[in-house]
Amino acid sequence: MTNLEVVARGLVGGERSFEQLRCHPRLPLVACSDSERPAVHIWDCGGGQLRELGSVGFTLNAYGNALGRERAERTPAVAWHPDQPLLVVAGEGGLRQWTPAGVSELQGAPAFAFYRSLAFSPDGQTLWASPSFRDEGGGWESSDVLDLAVGTIGAGPRWDTGVAQHPGGGLVATLSSDQGATHCLFARVDQGTVPAMMRPLRRALILDCDGYETPLFSADGRHLAVRGNAYDNSVEVFEFPSLRRVLTTTLGDPSPGYPYPQEWLDQMQAWSRHNVAFGARPGVLWIATPAGTLVEVDLETRQAVEHDVLTGSRLSALAATATGELLVAGSGGDLVLLSVLSGSTQNCTANRDTSRDAAAVFLETTAEVPDDGDDLETHLVLTDGTRTWEADDLATTTAASSTDPTWLQLQAAINAAQVQCE
């Protein structure tokens, strides 16, 4: 039996609330994205307390009624250094960094580059950024690799939505999105080289449509969760390293199809896009709801238990701290730190050993895409968690049913039309 115990409460103040929480991977720090304007607030969540340390803001202009793409284009991107209390923020005014000493310009970074996604390499010496601004901006076909120590900017592989580091080391996951389908790409990370490079691997997940958030690994490295989909409030969880899908669910009613009724659009907006987290306990996924509850999902038994957290307040964001506690934000301006108490003991050493084994097995079962592989998709072995396709399979398939993913139906229709034209 799992119990949640409130460790600390914080009140954001004013009319602010937080729509995304990004915890430091090792330190008791969290970056909180403001729901009202392009700003990020840094809080200390250690020692059983919640305390605001500072903010990084780019403009006083509020988001107002901006939604969808317009809102996303103004939302700052953030990345924590893997070891130091250093946060990099990309916004409308370029790149800034926060440390306990205050806010400053990021040395070695391009002026006024508004990257949509940022991530540090595991050694903290390289910053990965997307889309590319090497050629005066807008390059979604590649990314930038910033060596901050010497101020050089090189070319990296295409990716567009966050980078998740596998806890076993040497392996990361990211997304390459398209309207018809999104690839969850895995990449080996160069060890001991500066700048560190992502080396895309052949094994990849394929997700229907686009509109997903950064992938999320569990603490023991045995599960991967993907939240999003532009047309459904979906959550999918895959075993790792097998990539077998063990959970898929839609939060709220499924998409009724275009034109969308207003009540369904309101429901979509009520569910946070940053509302899933893995805690320290293996095999458990946490989901925050608009009703102010946390749902605890056992991935093995598929059983779900609801926990009341903020009655009468929509949970607008959820994250797990470096020590496995849960941090939730409410639409009323609340920030709550929760301790997860269960009958099973948590063994961090066991989690580390398990995650290293999982990463090693995955790397042994795949290979890097060739350096001259300009067309990445022709080298990928894709799975949706149930079926697997080699690149040649997708180039020739002409049959798909109405229950198949949208991307597969489209691919089959295109192939069939080409066959008829020959």
Side-chain angles (χ1 to χ4, degrees), residues 167-168 218-222 280 282 345-358:
S218 61
D220 66 349
R222 297 303 301 271
T345 58
Q346 312 304 324
N347 189 326
C348 293
T349 300
N351 273 353
R352 284 196 297 270
D353 292 341
T354 301
S355 66
R356 287 170 184 160
D357 290 344

Side-chain angles (χ1 to χ4, degrees), residues 194-397:
V194 180
M197 297 293 294
M198 284 191 279
R199 305 294 184 186
L201 301 168
R202 293 193 66 209
R203 289 185 66 190
L205 283 167
I206 187 165
L207 309 168
D208 207 17
C209 306
D210 60 355
Y212 293 91
E213 303 300 329
T214 304
L216 182 66
F217 284 110
S218 61
D220 66 349
R222 297 303 301 271
H223 288 98
L224 173 75
V226 184
R227 171 75 172 95
N229 191 306
Y231 308 100
D232 284 306
N233 276 309
S234 67
V235 178
E236 295 183 83
V237 181
F238 302 86
E239 280 185 344
F240 197 88
S242 71
L243 300 185
R244 182 176 70 91
R245 188 171 59 203
V246 295
L247 175 70
T248 179
T249 186
T250 298
L251 307 179
D253 297 330
S255 172
Y258 187 82
Y260 306 116
Q262 187 59 48
E263 57 268 22
W264 184 80
L265 294 174
D266 292 342
Q267 174 189 264
M268 284 281 286
Q269 191 172 351
W271 282 95
S272 167
R273 304 291 286 187
H274 307 281
N275 69 328
V276 298
F278 288 109
R281 181 183 167 194
V284 173
L285 180 73
W286 295 89
I287 303 174
T289 77
T293 62
L294 280 180
V295 179
E296 175 189 4
V297 182
D298 188 307
L299 297 175
E300 181 177 356
T301 65
R302 311 293 175 84
Q303 293 181 328
V305 178
E306 283 196 71
H307 302 265
D308 290 327
V309 177
L310 288 174
T311 303
S313 178
R314 179 178 67 89
L315 297 188
S316 56
L318 168 67
T321 69
T323 53
E325 296 169 312
L326 297 177
L327 194 63
V328 295
S331 58
D334 301 283
L335 190 62
V336 181
L337 184 65
L338 300 164
S339 177
V340 182
L341 308 174
S342 67
S344 61
T345 58
Q346 312 304 324
N347 189 326
C348 293
T349 300
N351 273 353
R352 284 196 297 270
D353 292 341
T354 301
S355 66
R356 287 170 184 160
D357 290 344
V361 169
F362 186 85
L363 290 170
E364 290 170 359
T365 59
T366 188
E368 293 182 12
V369 172
D371 288 338
D372 59 353
D374 294 333
D375 190 354
L376 177 66
E377 294 184 25
T378 63
H379 298 277
L380 296 180
V381 178
L382 298 171
T383 180
D384 63 357
T386 302
R387 293 170 290 177
T388 299
W389 297 270
E390 295 278 352
D392 291 343
D393 297 334
L394 293 179
T396 57
T397 184

